[in-house]
Amino acid sequence: MRHGEALTGMADSQRPLSPQGRADVVVVAQRALARGVAPTAIYHSGILRARQTAELVAALLAPADGVCELAGLYPEDDPVIVKAELELTSRSILLVSHLPYLGRLAGLLVAGDGERSVVQFAPATLACMTRQAARWQLGWWLSPQRVDPS
């Protein structure tokens, strides 16, 4: 999941979620809840807007292992590291991060190429990637504007 819309750096150098960003995250979390999304844990980059997004989502989805910061989710981090960690677990994990990282991770998982776009991660977009044996697939995605996910 990409964090919700943040305030500009001129408004606040920490760039917390804007009121619209908070509202959008709640909408997507409610849609995820309606789909039966139940992550075991939610991990975020540690950047304020990602942490706030993770906490808002966790308030609705109530992950058993809670919300934690995870190294390797910064915008310019290498997604190969988290991909390897994801492939070692069978738990349902929700990651909250940033661009361009999420686009590269999704491309790496689904297409085997971090430069290939498989999801347009607008603010507060949540994409479900599932692993079948050694292959990852894009199951569906939700955004504040998208009403009917496939």
Side-chain angles (χ1 to χ4, degrees):
M1 179 172 195
R2 182 177 172 199
H3 63 78
E5 176 188 272
L7 295 175
T8 66
M10 302 212 24
D12 185 327
S13 63
Q14 292 291 312
R15 300 207 51 224
L17 293 177
S18 68
Q20 184 63 55
R22 295 179 78 78
D24 288 348
V25 168
V26 169
V27 164
V28 170
Q30 289 170 335
R31 291 178 182 164
L33 181 63
R35 287 186 71 88
V37 173
T40 304
I42 299 177
Y43 296 107
H44 61 83
S45 67
I47 296 174
L48 179 59
R49 58 194 172 274
R51 180 177 53 81
Q52 290 175 325
T53 297
E55 290 169 350
L56 287 168
V57 172
L60 287 168
L61 301 185
D65 293 345
V67 175
C68 300
E69 183 177 335
L70 179 67
L73 297 178
Y74 269 53
E76 298 300 330
D77 283 346
D78 185 352
V80 170
I81 297 165
V82 169
K83 177 184 182 281
E85 291 177 11
L86 290 172
E87 291 178 342
L88 293 175
T89 187
S90 60
R91 298 182 326 146
S92 176
I93 304 295
L94 194 153
L95 303 174
V96 180
S97 188
H98 315 265
L99 289 181
Y101 182 84
L102 283 173
R104 293 193 331 255
L105 178 61
L108 185 61
L109 290 174
V110 175
D113 181 354
E115 300 305 315
R116 187 160 169 210
S117 178
V118 296
V119 177
Q120 296 299 314
F121 282 100
T125 297
L126 171 65
C128 176
M129 313 282 172
T130 58
R131 188 178 61 203
Q132 306 296 323
R135 187 166 179 256
W136 288 88
Q137 297 178 342
L138 172 63
W140 47 263
W141 58 275
L142 303 168
S143 73
Q145 298 76 28
R146 189 168 186 200
V147 177
D148 185 30
S150 55

